[in-house]
Amino acid sequence: MATFGIFSRASKVLTLRTQSPVLRIHRAMSSLLIEDPKYSWLKDLGLSSSNNGAYYGKWGGSGEETTSYCPANKQPIAKVTQASPADYEKAIQASREAWNVWADVPAPQRGEIVRQMGEALRKHKNALGKLEALEVGKILAEGEGEVQEYIDIIDYAVGLSRMFAGHVFPSERPSHLLMEQWNPLGVVGAITAYNFPVAVYGWNSSIALVCGNVMLWKGAPTTPLVSVAITKILSSVLEANNLPGAICSLVQGGADIGTLMAQDTRVNLLSFTGSTPVGHKVSMMVQERFGKFLLELGGNNALIVNEDADIEMVVRSALFACAGTAGQRCTTTRRLMLHESVHDEVVGRLVKAYGQLRVGDPLDAETLYG
């Protein structure tokens, strides 16, 4: 357990010897931000001091207990017990059973369930945005914006649920025709990154669900509370509609759980978002079993500025593209290629712009860089 504050080694020993076990536990729990009245809104998302990181119709978790920290102040937020390999096995079995139910639900009705998920997310948009600011470190506006991305793709998916394409082909046989029908794959696994823990899962799950697939989600180890909070919202909608909660299963964990997903033939499609080196490893494991995968990996983006460019737009665009999300996203601009005739002006104005960039508490509305 991490120790916070300034103490000498001797004073630590003295403190531990003079406190009762009950008092020590109380002090340890009260050091979590979730127990601070300032962050009481965390409990509105169904979070507590100790949370389960596995869900497959019921909550569990028998793996390692981890603590989620706020990157802005290094303070512990709450604890999460991760999924173990045994929990993973329960989740994959429950997901496959849930798929037998979900795939039989007509697509427009699946769209209605997903629409209700969007409404539930709208209700909790502000709290989820604040949770992202607290656990991820991005500013509040970006946190809420990411939740809105999830809601927006849900709106698209709801429309899609009534417009599945399928061609009708002429047949060479009299009084016959050929019909094309798309069928769901089954279990769709999603391994998401820390920098967009809500939107990336939303992009994958919204489309997958209306198409008749079920989700098995492993969020980033550093943002487990976001994964738990989102799953609680989705499971409440499924429960209200008398549907299996395992339609949206969660197996929060580390590389061990990710490896199980990549190698498991029961995961019909695996979506991975993260670094290029890890994405390469994941793709190799999935290819070894002739599986399907989607990869969204890192980039090395550049802005090319010609001599006739609008310098004002260049500076504004570069500042946003470089500093947005604290520079930690796949679309972050990492290089500027400047024509020599505008080089000095662009650099000078960028330096001035960076000097005005407000860095601080991501929950503060005045902060521009978390």
Side-chain angles (χ1 to χ4, degrees), residues 135-175:
E135 190 173 42
V136 180
K138 61 175 57 180
I139 61 175
L140 179 57
E142 286 188 332
E144 290 190 332
E146 190 180 333
V147 180
Q148 186 62 50
E149 287 187 50
Y150 192 169
I151 295 169
D152 290 344
I153 200 67
I154 279 180
D155 289 344
Y156 170 78
V158 172
L160 179 67
S161 69
R162 293 182 178 271
M163 298 188 300
F164 288 142
H167 291 94
V168 176
F169 301 96
S171 171
E172 63 184 19
R173 299 177 62 187
S175 302

Side-chain angles (χ1 to χ4, degrees), residues 193 272-282 295-299:
F272 172 84
T273 303
S275 70
T276 300
V278 176
H280 182 260
K281 293 179 181 179
V282 169
L295 301 178
E296 184 192 354
L297 309 178

